[in-house]
Amino acid sequence: MKTDTLFYRLFQRKPALALELLGLPYRNDSYRFGSEEIKQTAFRIDGLFTPITDDLELPVIFAEVQYQADIDFYDRLFSEITLYLRLHKPGRSWLALVIYPDRRTEKAASIEFVPFMNLPQLHRVYLEDYQNQSGLTPTLELIRLIASHKQQTITLARELSGRRDEIGMECLDFIETILVYKLPHLSREEIKAMLALNDIELKQTRFYQEIAEEERQEGLQEGRKEGRKEGRKEECVALLTRQLRRKFGVQPQLETALQRLPELPLERLEDLADALLDFTKTDELHEWLQGMPDLNKRA
């Protein structure tokens, strides 16, 4: 399971997840989550929450999900943070959120960086602490689901699904996402059946709402979409183009890659819709396209 990818995907769609872990009272729409590459170095800030308001009380938040033991982790983290602050000068305070599966995974910082470990800005979260907690908010229930053992995951997911009126459709959508990551041997149809979702509820999830919105914007009817494969392909290319531009911004390298999308068959475009969720830079999109035999034969 690519747990760091799962967390970063949830952070993008629900910044409140990090805010609640940190115990911060700020609104969910106060932050934008992304990554930041520090130019002319080998450093990259994988998780960065930047305030989207002028309120200087809101700190910059650095987020890292560390599932592998790494003796150099804190050396690298504090170096990245201090260099980012030096180059960008955000003019506000900062916090660092580090998420571990358990305390055994955490390794001590080297002696040069030990003083940083006592900073109040450093917040460590151990998912094992949430496994048996009760009375959590719907957002933190997602943390408990991620932290649960595999044999507990299905039971807890069904329990949360039964509270759908309380937790809302957005959390239900996240539950499905978490199960896809944690139980890769199950198909999406099996997961949907496990959560006892009906067609009406499925159409309330984020994925189905985005498709419905695209259909309304382009004036397509559901029957025509299902009946004409070419129309479905054009719609898929348009949706992927918007998603990729929203993810990476308009840039020449991305536009070059987007010109190749119409060459892909519909099945490959659907595969790309899943793959792009894990992309963090446009180079990964180019690598994915290079691996497509349909394109390479035309080259």
Side-chain angles (χ1 to χ4, degrees):
M1 178 180 64
K2 297 181 179 179
T3 309
D4 53 348
T5 302
L6 171 59
F7 265 101
Y8 295 142
R9 182 179 176 185
L10 296 180
F11 283 156
Q12 276 189 320
R13 291 170 54 183
K14 197 177 183 65
L17 190 63
L19 299 180
E20 286 199 40
L21 286 172
L22 289 166
L24 298 177
Y26 309 129
R27 288 171 25 183
N28 186 29
D29 59 359
S30 299
Y31 281 87
R32 179 188 300 108
F33 178 77
S35 61
E36 183 78 26
E37 186 170 357
I38 303 177
K39 296 181 179 179
Q40 298 179 344
T41 74
F43 291 152
R44 181 182 182 87
I45 305 292
D46 289 331
L48 180 67
F49 290 90
T50 51
I52 57 178
T53 72
D54 295 329
D55 186 354
L56 295 180
E57 181 182 342
L58 277 65
V60 172
I61 302 173
F62 302 91
E64 290 283 348
V65 179
Q66 190 63 26
Y67 256 63
Q68 302 295 327
D70 184 350
I71 60 174
D72 294 323
F73 171 72
Y74 282 117
D75 304 27
R76 187 172 60 253
L77 174 65
F78 293 126
S79 296
E80 290 170 350
I81 290 175
T82 52
L83 185 56
Y84 175 90
L85 297 175
R86 172 69 179 86
L87 294 177
H88 292 270
K89 294 182 172 59
R92 57 180 75 235
S93 60
W94 61 273
L95 295 174
L97 170 64
V98 181
I99 299 175
Y100 287 105
D102 49 53
R103 288 167 175 80
R104 297 186 302 275
T105 305
E106 183 179 18
K107 299 300 179 183
S110 64
I111 190 169
E112 297 86 355
F113 289 88
V114 166
F116 286 88
M117 301 299 294
N118 296 321
L119 290 175
Q121 288 86 352
L122 176 62
H123 296 257
R124 286 164 285 186
V125 170
Y126 306 98
L127 297 183
E128 62 182 355
D129 294 344
Y130 288 85
Q131 288 178 350
N132 299 313
Q133 284 197 34
S134 58
L136 297 173
T137 65
T139 299
L140 292 182
E141 286 285 12
L142 299 176
I143 296 295
R144 184 183 172 206
L145 183 60
I146 294 173
S148 64
H149 298 301
K150 285 192 175 181
Q151 59 267 31
Q152 300 171 324
T153 298
I154 295 177
T155 300
L156 181 56
R158 283 175 172 159
E159 175 189 326
L160 290 174
S161 177
R163 296 164 52 193
R164 66 193 70 179
D165 292 339
E166 172 192 349
I167 66 177
M169 288 304 301
E170 184 181 28
C171 280
L172 194 61
D173 201 17
F174 284 135
I175 292 170
E176 182 184 359
T177 300
I178 293 170
L179 291 181
V180 168
Y181 275 82
K182 291 196 67 174
L183 305 174
H185 61 284
L186 295 180
S187 68
R188 285 185 177 270
E189 290 303 319
E190 289 173 318
I191 290 175
K192 290 168 185 174
M194 180 194 310
L195 299 179
L197 301 178
N198 57 46
D199 290 340
I200 295 177
E201 290 170 325
L202 283 176
K203 290 180 180 179
Q204 296 179 47
T205 63
R206 184 186 182 97
F207 174 74
Y208 279 84
Q209 288 174 351
E210 287 180 353
I211 291 179
E213 180 61 25
E214 292 297 329
E215 290 175 354
R216 286 193 294 271
Q217 291 179 359
E218 298 178 13
L220 297 175
Q221 298 179 354
E222 185 68 22
R224 290 178 57 192
K225 173 176 174 288
E226 295 177 354
R228 298 180 57 185
K229 187 173 183 179
E230 188 60 31
R232 290 171 58 197
K233 177 179 175 179
E234 292 176 0
E235 181 185 30
C236 194
V237 169
L239 178 58
L240 287 170
T241 298
R242 277 187 279 272
Q243 289 176 330
L244 286 164
R245 283 175 176 162
R246 190 180 304 135
K247 187 178 185 75
F248 297 115
V250 178
Q251 51 177 289
Q253 187 180 17
L254 175 61
E255 296 304 311
T256 300
L258 293 180
Q259 292 176 11
R260 307 175 72 181
L261 296 187
E263 302 175 26
L264 292 173
L266 178 61
E267 294 76 15
R268 292 289 184 262
L269 292 171
E270 291 172 343
D271 291 341
L272 178 58
D274 288 330
L276 70 83
L277 298 173
D278 294 333
F279 293 162
T280 59
K281 53 187 178 181
T282 54
D283 288 345
E284 293 172 323
L285 172 60
H286 280 279
E287 292 172 3
W288 190 92
L289 290 172
Q290 283 298 111
M292 290 293 99
D294 303 86
L295 293 181
N296 294 333
K297 289 178 182 177
R298 292 185 173 93

